[in-house]
Amino acid sequence: MFRKFLLLFFSVLLISCASNKNKSELLFDQKFKECTDEKYDRLANQSLPIDTLLFQKENIHSLLENELIIAGYLDKISKEGYLKLFENNIHPEFFKTFESKIGFDPDLLFPINSYISCYGNLYHRLKLYDEDSWQFKFGYAYNQYEAYGNMKIKSNYLKEALKQIPERKFKNIIYRKVFLDLLYTYYEQTYTVSNNGYRK
């Protein structure tokens, strides 16, 4: 009888812990999205012409990702797909075509580190995760990338940072935006410098 009671007690405890963890993860997702949306909306309203379609502003990362798939640079939306994407050499014509399709220069919509600060805000201000969490491990790995990766898209430090994000979370574009920002900015800067200050 006592063993059954213990089994029931631990079962309830495990269910309760799992439930609290799920609630905590959902809260982090919600707050992270709010933080990134706020930063993005402020940036979009300041930097784009008034006649730019709202759909294009709000979905610029999805639009870029779709074009990467169509062009064959990204074979699937997953951590593995992105790791392979980092190894590809993207032709400058790709970005010219992307810009032509959306009808404006989207450079300012892909700011480096705009979204990464949201991890810090949710850790220091709201205490939504601890040092054992994937968020903390990602933040640490990303700091290593900034310090030693020279902001190169093929850096092993960047790959290590990406690997810290659980696959189930990576399916949500809010966690892929930082990598799309880095990708777009890296190639735009690379082609600008290689063309003596002029974009190809």
Side-chain angles (χ1 to χ4, degrees), residues 11-196:
S11 296
V12 171
L13 187 62
L14 285 172
I15 292 171
S16 176
C17 289
S19 177
N20 288 335
K21 184 178 180 181
N22 288 337
K23 287 178 182 177
S24 178
E25 285 197 2
L26 288 174
L27 180 60
F28 179 85
D29 289 345
Q30 176 189 340
K31 293 299 181 182
F32 188 80
K33 186 176 187 308
E34 288 174 3
C35 178
T36 57
D37 284 352
E38 181 183 348
K39 288 178 177 293
Y40 178 78
D41 289 343
R42 190 184 313 124
L43 183 68
N45 289 331
Q46 290 174 352
S47 61
L48 289 178
I50 297 174
D51 61 349
T52 302
L53 293 177
L54 181 61
F55 174 82
Q56 292 171 317
K57 290 181 182 179
E58 293 178 342
N59 297 283
I60 194 69
H61 293 89
S62 293
L63 292 171
L64 175 59
E65 198 172 56
N66 288 339
E67 287 302 312
L68 287 166
I69 292 171
I70 292 170
Y73 292 113
L74 179 62
D75 61 355
K76 58 183 175 180
I77 298 176
S78 67
K79 289 165 62 173
E80 181 186 356
Y82 265 69
L83 289 170
K84 290 179 180 177
L85 172 63
F86 293 161
E87 288 301 316
N88 283 329
N89 292 314
I90 302 178
H91 194 276
E93 193 64 33
F94 169 83
F95 297 98
K96 288 178 65 178
T97 301
F98 177 65
E99 189 174 311
S100 176
K101 282 187 176 182
I102 61 176
F104 65 94
D105 181 350
D107 279 10
L108 295 176
L109 291 179
F110 294 102
I112 291 181
N113 295 340
S114 179
Y115 302 111
I116 200 72
S117 62
C118 289
Y119 285 96
N121 290 340
L122 298 183
Y123 175 71
H124 294 292
R125 292 172 55 190
L126 299 182
K127 310 295 182 187
L128 289 183
Y129 59 94
D130 57 34
E131 294 186 9
D132 293 325
S133 65
W134 70 263
Q135 293 96 328
F136 189 89
K137 293 172 184 175
F138 168 76
Y140 178 79
Y142 191 87
N143 285 340
Q144 294 289 102
Y145 166 62
E146 287 187 320
Y148 306 111
N150 297 318
M151 303 309 281
K152 302 292 186 183
I153 207 66
K154 295 185 180 183
S155 167
N156 287 330
Y157 289 101
L158 180 61
K159 294 173 187 176
E160 285 304 312
L162 183 149
K163 290 175 183 177
Q164 303 306 316
I165 303 176
E167 191 71 62
R168 69 183 187 282
K169 294 296 182 182
F170 200 74
K171 294 182 185 303
N172 190 331
I173 196 166
I174 62 176
Y175 298 112
R176 302 194 303 271
K177 284 182 178 181
V178 65
F179 300 105
L180 290 166
D181 287 345
L182 287 168
L183 183 84
Y184 190 91
T185 304
Y186 171 77
Y187 277 104
E188 282 294 283
Q189 290 177 349
T190 298
Y191 294 138
T192 297
V193 170
S194 67
N195 203 31
N196 296 321

